[in-house]
Amino acid sequence: MELKKAAIYLEDGTRLEGKSFGSNVTQGGEIVFHTGMTGYQEILTDPSYCGQIVVMTYPHIGNYGIHGADNESSSVHLSGFVVGDYPQKHKQWRSETSLHQFLMDHNIPGIFDVDTRMLTRKIRDRGSMRALISCEDLDTAKKKLSQVPSMEGQNLIHQVACKEPYVWENRTSQTHPITIVVVDCGIKWNILRSFDQLGVRCVVVPPLITAEAILSYKPNGLFLSNGPGDPAAVEGLPSVVEQLFGKMPIFGICLGHQMLALALGAKTFKLPFGHHGANHPVRNESNQKIEITSQNHGFAVERESLEKAAVSKNIDLRISHIHLTDDTVEGFELPGLNVKAIQYHPEACPGPHDSAYLFKEFVACLKTK
């Protein structure tokens, strides 16, 4: 591995020099930090990170290499990867290639030997901002940084979603008596694996779909996936979802949670630095139990607007989950319409099984339809 000097530039004027790994291309995006100690491959292949540069707060990243079976999608979607220490030798019995080679294969720049703790503190204090990883000269890098768009107002789901409908391959020995339509806004494969293991057949469709087309599949239920970008910038899908309220059980995760809120008439807002990590505490309001959750979102549902929307439409609303660090809404239900929305990622298993019940509850609704 040939080491080359690189730098990361932030829109507040911060410039940190380090060493390049992965591709030497110049690329920008919104910089965020992730607090997970492991799972870097899942982060790289999570479509929800489209348009973002991820700083890993744990210093040693890359030591167990890459194994294809751990991918969450078919590609790498983030704009850049920042780590404190990148071990140039990796060792793990399942490993097929190195993190460096994986980034090279997908043309993604990485930088290491930088102060990730300082970057994390800066993002916490100043909030997420535009950033750029580059091996180019200062003037060229600054010019390209000024052209990086803000995450607010960006509809990115069509960059990562499927273009044509498909049926998720049955990878278990179970029969699949239940069929759901999955609206792909950038879905993680482990969500589909979770449904597959519970005997659910998933018909995955692009986000540009009509309510009539969804109903034509005669599904037992509807699932709305995670995805990147600003939820308020997504056009069409909230209206489609609203048309399906009460016609079948509906479940949404992450961006799907936000789409359900927007369909009800609520608003979303940008968090200062988002929730990105595998150690976020969430309280289940029905039993007061605390779940350790995996999260990846930069926007949240505005609770007051959610409650007002439900009242104005005379719809029964229950706030089901709350984030314990900032009291943001992490889940809600519309019991009369058989709608459930969760902001975090129960399929990521950080607890590891704290939130597995959410999939089982939804499938139970489908069975009793």
Side-chain angles (χ1 to χ4, degrees), residues 58-104:
Y58 186 71
H60 310 295
I61 300 296
N63 54 306
Y64 57 84
I66 297 290
H67 185 261
D70 295 335
N71 287 344
E72 286 289 1
S73 69
S74 60
S75 186
V76 175
H77 301 278
L78 47 68
S79 298
F81 202 46
V82 185
V83 303
D85 174 51
Y86 173 64
Q88 294 184 46
K89 292 184 179 181
H90 64 278
K91 188 173 183 180
Q92 206 263 355
W93 70 273
R94 297 169 69 244
S95 177
E96 298 168 346
T97 188
S98 68
L99 172 58
H100 163 68
Q101 188 60 50
F102 191 60
L103 292 176
M104 283 282 289

Side-chain angles (χ1 to χ4, degrees), residues 194-245:
S194 298
F195 281 125
D196 187 39
Q197 290 166 1
L198 292 171
V200 177
R201 176 176 177 266
C202 295
V203 179
V204 186
V205 299
L208 284 177
I209 190 168
T210 64
E212 291 76 15
I214 291 173
L215 290 170
S216 71
Y217 289 101
K218 296 182 170 52
N220 298 87
L222 174 67
F223 177 79
L224 307 173
S225 86
N226 59 292
D230 185 346
V234 177
E235 299 178 351
L237 186 55
S239 175
V240 170
V241 173
E242 184 183 15
Q243 295 173 52
L244 297 172
F245 278 166

